[in-house]
């Protein structure tokens, strides 16, 4: 069924067990694609050990297939119910032989006791959406009554694009706990697959017994996305690059601080009427982390107010995160300079906040004073482009603290260069955790499990 043009024909063989925890009867199916019958039997056992409910036996992957003998072994030896598939090349499979032989093999599979067979139809019947954008169809099928979802045994070994592993289905997304009344949350961005938000929030939801699931949402047009996913089932969203400014325009109401910043990173859907409310928690998380870094140094002269007061705070980037950091630092009494690839955007933000502007190309030679603070709010240096940095190493000697909003990897090239240059470094992971506390509380109405947040993120880095 994991193909754009397939339909699943079911026998009466599979009964899905429901216990006190499991909310959905959606089945997790593991594709078995080994080249020999012996290896298929081994992989079936692995699928059961990982927690699958069903195995899809891909006959078209077998190098030497003896229809009668091999089917008997595969069906008899399988520790789980079986779905038998014999995918032809014209449907994206491996079989390139006689069509009558292929269909006879599927009939024999039914006679020998296979629980299901997979039969192709020449129509545009879509069971699951392919690719990264289709990931939510594979997870949320448990909420919306889907019969099964496919999960691979190992990462990278998939039978269709976008297929998650059984391990991630069960343990990252808490699949067994998803049901019709589960609230859906997610992170909207492009790119977004690098985000660790689903790992953090799903673990936190589970720890406080909150009935919610949090997913990656690869989105091109946020206005169109929010219009399409307008059901109250979609209860809240985190927003990341490049949608933080556009998201503000999509909300029915915006928090005054977020409106002043001109960007949001959190959207809540009011359950009574479905209206969208926008907030910005970025500036609190980032500024607090930077202040903590300065307070821990011997160069911090402020004993009562913010250690940012009076300091020159250089922000790289004039997007949503840049606006949040500039606003937050300005509120703490810092003097602001904005550096951006496009000078006009830097000038626009600097005029709004009240500060100086320069192009990113001029940043290497910007040295009005020593002891400045640098905050990168762009995606420069994010995986996979980990060798990139927004500023040369020699220029970092003018800064006493360097912050990078990028947290994948935790120690970016910018932070490595800064540390070697003698600056205090603050990872984007600190901002990520700080901004997540408030988002969690807005999502759930419950206090954030602070120690768990820290433990989960420390374990993931």
């Amino acid at each position: 069924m994991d193909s754009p043009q397939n339909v699943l024909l079911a026998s009466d063989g599979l009964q899905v067990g429901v216990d006190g925890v499991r909310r959905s009867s959606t089945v997790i199916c593991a594709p078995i694609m080994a080249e020999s019958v012996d290896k298929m039997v081994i992989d079936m056992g692995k699928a059961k050990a990982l927690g699958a409910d069903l195995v899809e036996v891909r006959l078209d992957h077998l190098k030497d297939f003896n229809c009668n003998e091999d089917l008997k072994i595969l069906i008899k030896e399988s520790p789980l119910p079986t779905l038998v598939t014999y995918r032809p090349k014209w449907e994206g499979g491996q079989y390139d032989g006689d069509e009558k032989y292929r269909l006879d093999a599927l009939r024999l599979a039914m006679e020998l006791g296979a629980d299901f067979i997979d039969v192709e139809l020449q129509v545009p019947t879509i069971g699951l959406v392919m690719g990264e954008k289709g990931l939510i169809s594979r997870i949320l099928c448990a909420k919306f009554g889907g019969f099964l979802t496919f999960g691979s045994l190992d990462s990278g070994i998939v039978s269709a694009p976008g297929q998650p592993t059984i391990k991630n289905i069960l343990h990252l997304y808490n699949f067994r706990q998803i049901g019709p009344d589960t609230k859906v949350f997610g992170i909207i961005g492009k790119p977004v697959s690098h985000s660790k938000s689903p790992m953090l929030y799903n673990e936190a939801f589970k720890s406080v017994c909150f009935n919610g699931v949090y997913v990656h949402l690869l989105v091109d047009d946020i206005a169109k996305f929010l219009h399409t996913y307008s059901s109250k089932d979609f209860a809240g969203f985190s927003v990341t690059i490049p949608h933080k400014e556009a998201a503000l325009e999509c909300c029915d109401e915006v928090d005054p601080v977020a409106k002043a910043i001109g960007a949001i990173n959190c959207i809540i859907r009011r359950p009574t009427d479905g209206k969208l409310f926008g907030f910005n928690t970025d500036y609190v998380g980032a500024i607090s982390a930077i202040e903590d870094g300065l307070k821990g140094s011997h160069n911090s002269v402020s004993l009562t107010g913010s250690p940012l007061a009076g300091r020159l705070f250089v922000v790289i980037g004039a997007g949503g995160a840049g606006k949040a950091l500039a606003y937050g630092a300005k509120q703490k009494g810092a003097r602001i300079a904005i550096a951006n690839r496009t000078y006009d955007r830097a000038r626009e933000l600097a005029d709004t906040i009240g500060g100086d502007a320069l192009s990113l190309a001029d940043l290497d030679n910007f040295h009005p004073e020593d002891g400045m603070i640098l905050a990168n709010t762009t995606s420069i240096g994010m995986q996979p482009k980990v060798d990139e940095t927004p500023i040369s190493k020699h220029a970092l000697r003018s800064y006493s603290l360097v912050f990078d909003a990028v947290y994948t990897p935790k120690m970016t090239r910018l932070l490595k260069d800064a540390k070697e240059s003698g600056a205090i470094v603050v990872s984007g992971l600190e901002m990520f955790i700080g901004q997540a506390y408030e988002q969690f509380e807005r999502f759930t109405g419950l206090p954030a499990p602070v120690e768990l947040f820290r433990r989960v993120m420390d374990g993931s880095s």
Side-chain angles (χ1 to χ4, degrees), residues 37-38 41 44 66-78 82 112:
V37 171
D38 289 344
V41 172
M44 288 172 175
N66 183 308
C67 185
N68 191 48
E69 291 182 11
D70 291 346
L71 276 173
K72 284 180 180 177
I73 294 171
L74 289 167
I75 293 170
K76 180 182 178 182
E77 296 296 324
S78 177
T82 53
L112 292 173

Side-chain angles (χ1 to χ4, degrees), residues 223-240:
K224 185 180 293 184
F225 172 86
L226 292 171
H227 177 74
T228 302
Y229 291 88
S230 58
S231 162
K232 293 177 186 177
D233 290 304
F234 292 84
F237 306 99
S238 306
V239 184
T240 189

Side-chain angles (χ1 to χ4, degrees), residues 101-145:
Y101 178 83
R102 188 180 76 87
L103 294 176
D104 284 345
L106 291 174
R107 291 188 186 95
L108 179 60
M110 286 195 296
E111 293 170 7
L112 292 173
D115 299 274
F116 306 91
I117 63 168
D118 191 329
V119 179
E120 298 73 23
L121 297 180
Q122 296 280 4
V123 295
T125 302
I126 301 175
L128 293 166
V129 185
M130 301 294 111
E132 188 181 345
K133 288 182 179 176
L135 176 63
I136 58 172
S137 72
R138 300 172 178 276
I139 304 303
L140 300 184
C141 58
K143 172 178 173 61
F144 295 108

Side-chain angles (χ1 to χ4, degrees), residues 73-285:
I73 294 171
L74 289 167
I75 293 170
K76 180 182 178 182
E77 296 296 324
S78 177
L80 292 170
T82 53
L83 158 62
V84 176
T85 300
Y86 207 177
R87 183 80 70 240
K89 282 197 171 180
W90 51 265
E91 273 293 324
Q94 305 291 319
Y95 180 73
D96 194 24
D98 179 69
E99 184 67 3
K100 182 179 183 300
Y101 178 83
R102 188 180 76 87
L103 294 176
D104 284 345
L106 291 174
R107 291 188 186 95
L108 179 60
M110 286 195 296
E111 293 170 7
L112 292 173
D115 299 274
F116 306 91
I117 63 168
D118 191 329
V119 179
E120 298 73 23
L121 297 180
Q122 296 280 4
V123 295
T125 302
I126 301 175
L128 293 166
V129 185
M130 301 294 111
E132 188 181 345
K133 288 182 179 176
L135 176 63
I136 58 172
S137 72
R138 300 172 178 276
I139 304 303
L140 300 184
C141 58
K143 172 178 173 61
F144 295 108
F147 172 65
L148 63 74
T149 191
F150 288 85
S152 64
L153 299 181
D154 298 295
S155 178
I157 304 176
V158 300
S159 62
Q163 196 174 83
T165 62
I166 295 172
K167 180 180 178 182
N168 279 351
I169 290 173
L170 288 173
H171 303 295
L172 173 57
Y173 298 107
N174 302 326
F175 191 81
R176 301 297 194 203
Q177 284 79 52
I178 300 173
D181 56 346
T182 300
K183 294 297 182 183
V184 180
F185 303 85
I187 180 162
I188 297 171
K190 185 181 181 182
V192 77
S193 61
H194 68 280
S195 174
K196 296 179 181 178
S197 293
M199 176 177 62
L200 182 70
Y201 287 105
N202 286 325
E203 188 66 24
F205 288 166
K206 184 168 64 174
S207 75
V208 297
C209 299
F210 178 77
N211 187 12
V213 62
Y214 190 105
V215 294
H216 291 101
L217 298 167
L218 178 62
V219 171
D220 298 315
D221 184 327
I222 189 169
K224 185 180 293 184
F225 172 86
L226 292 171
H227 177 74
T228 302
Y229 291 88
S230 58
S231 162
K232 293 177 186 177
D233 290 304
F234 292 84
F237 306 99
S238 306
V239 184
T240 189
I241 296 171
H243 299 304
K244 295 186 179 188
E245 294 165 284
L248 185 145
E249 303 300 325
C250 300
C251 292
D252 299 293
E253 189 173 316
V254 177
D255 177 75
V257 173
K259 188 173 290 186
I261 293 171
I264 63 173
N265 71 318
C266 179
I267 299 174
I268 302 297
R269 189 186 304 279
R270 191 161 66 189
T272 53
D273 57 12
K275 289 188 179 296
L276 299 177
F277 288 77
F279 304 89
N280 193 306
T281 67
D282 276 338
Y283 77 101
V284 175

